[in-house]
Amino acid sequence: MLAAVPVPVTVRVPGKINLHLAVGDVRDDGYHELVTVFHAVSLFDEVTVATSDVPGVEVTGDTAAEVPTDATNLAWKAVELLGRHADHDTDVKVVLRKGIPVAGGMAGGSADAAGTLVALAGLWKLDLTREELAVMAAELGSDVTFALHGGTAVGTGRGERIVPVLSRHPQHWVIALARQGLSTPTVFAELDRLRAASETESPVRAVEPVLEALAGGDPRQLALSLGNDLQAAAVSLAPDLRRTLRAGVSAGALAGLVSGSGPTCAFLCDSADSAVEVAAELAGAGVCRTVRVAHGPVPGARIVDENEPP
Ligand code: C5P
């Protein structure tokens, strides 16, 4: 008798913004020591894995052409890593439906890797603990662990050590997607260059005000404490971001900042209605490729139950 082919598994996984990103020194392994506050927002990728005679990665969505489908794709690296770990054939097709901007500073590639780990664990019926998954996630990339967890969390080390943060209140965002991406290593290198050229030591950004604002839930207080050390480097490489940031605040956002290494910008708004208004005005200002309304925090990588309403 032939073995039954397992039913394909689909996972939904969110993108992130960094409410706080303090970049420290470069370590011996080339990574920077970080203290960051990750916040998962409602821009999702969907990852479907299925047993296939033609293994590989397929990408759909408007930005599909920008995503590699060869072995350099982090989702395929996740297949290989879990295949080795579980001693399982990698006869799988991974289909990525992109909703998270590509090379946008929202950890879209990391989200796909986290989604693939969770989906394959389901497809192959592996009994893995959250900790085992987290160890593999950290091996794949600095932001992959957070994409598994979602919510709001402090990240330390190179970003892979995660501690959840209490934030019961939803926050409303407008996300401005840029016309062109920025490479994360290039943005970190630009920050190193700017720091080396500067005569003064930059002050260390404190995380406590962000944590207090999140616990309180008042978006106006949170707006005052948002900050990202990589923003100056992203703006230095893509100076048009200054106009985007100004336009969001002129449109009525409480604050705007570059997300991670950019060039995506995130604007905090004081309500869902305000976010819709800010998005409409920003879309008309001609300062970005497109805008999305989002909220956070949302959960990390989760298997989609086909019977559940979207
Ligand atoms: O870990 P990940 O592959 O996502 O990192 C991409 C690149 O971003 C690294 O190769 C490094 O250049 C830079 N990076 C860094 N310090 C971090 C995280 C990332 O310098 N903490």
Side-chain angles (χ1 to χ4, degrees):
M1 210 173 75
L2 287 173
V5 175
V7 179
V9 177
T10 297
V11 165
R12 212 160 79 122
V13 55
K16 60 84 186 162
I17 57 181
N18 303 76
L19 306 180
H20 170 92
L21 178 48
V23 180
D25 294 333
V26 192
R27 313 188 313 196
D28 291 344
D29 62 3
Y31 284 92
H32 293 72
E33 202 61 31
L34 303 181
V35 178
T36 187
V37 179
F38 290 114
H39 181 69
V41 293
S42 57
L43 254 56
F44 297 97
D45 280 1
E46 270 187 11
V47 181
T48 300
V49 297
T51 304
S52 170
D53 297 335
V54 268
V57 177
E58 217 175 271
V59 187
T60 65
D62 349 325
T63 52
E66 297 162 44
V67 182
T69 54
D70 60 13
T72 62
N73 191 302
L74 210 51
W76 190 256
K77 291 186 179 170
V79 172
E80 289 181 331
L81 182 62
L82 194 54
R84 280 198 302 279
H85 180 92
D87 200 14
H88 199 290
D89 279 348
T90 54
D91 54 347
V92 284
K93 168 77 78 196
V94 181
V95 179
L96 306 174
R97 272 179 296 279
K98 298 295 299 175
I100 306 171
V102 177
M106 291 189 69
S110 302
D112 298 342
T116 303
L117 288 177
V118 172
L120 272 186
L123 186 79
W124 293 344
K125 303 208 173 354
L126 304 175
D127 200 11
L128 296 171
T129 62
R130 251 3 228 183
E131 282 67 37
E132 282 175 290
L133 279 174
V135 169
M136 282 184 269
E139 194 174 327
L140 289 164
S142 309
D143 295 337
V144 184
T145 331
F146 176 71
L148 279 180
H149 281 77
T152 306
V154 174
T156 54
R158 61 185 170 94
E160 86 289 11
R161 287 207 298 264
I162 297 292
V163 178
V165 163
L166 188 71
S167 77
R168 260 172 272 144
H169 306 262
Q171 301 294 343
H172 300 280
W173 300 91
V174 172
I175 311 287
L177 281 62
R179 294 194 176 86
Q180 252 157 13
L182 279 174
S183 127
T184 304
T186 309
V187 177
F188 273 100
E190 179 67 1
L191 178 64
D192 292 340
R193 192 190 66 77
L194 292 174
R195 283 182 171 172
S198 156
E199 311 221 312
T200 51
E201 282 273 300
S202 40
V204 176
R205 215 176 262 292
V207 70
E208 289 76 14
V210 188
L211 301 181
E212 279 162 27
L214 283 166
D218 178 359
R220 290 172 184 278
Q221 200 195 337
L222 182 58
L224 296 174
S225 53
L226 298 172
N228 175 6
D229 280 352
L230 288 177
Q231 178 158 316
V235 169
S236 164
L237 295 166
D240 283 355
L241 288 177
R242 266 198 207 94
R243 278 177 59 220
T244 314
L245 289 166
R246 268 202 304 269
V249 174
S250 308
L254 300 173
L257 88 171
V258 168
S259 172
S261 55
T264 306
C265 293
F267 297 95
L268 179 61
C269 298
D270 67 3
S271 66
D273 288 346
S274 157
V276 171
E277 283 166 27
V278 169
E281 194 169 328
L282 196 58
V287 293
C288 55
R289 178 163 63 83
T290 183
V291 297
R292 302 260 187 277
V293 170
H295 61 273
V298 295
R302 293 284 179 282
I303 291 181
V304 175
D305 179 350
E306 300 297 347
N307 302 317
E308 232 173 67

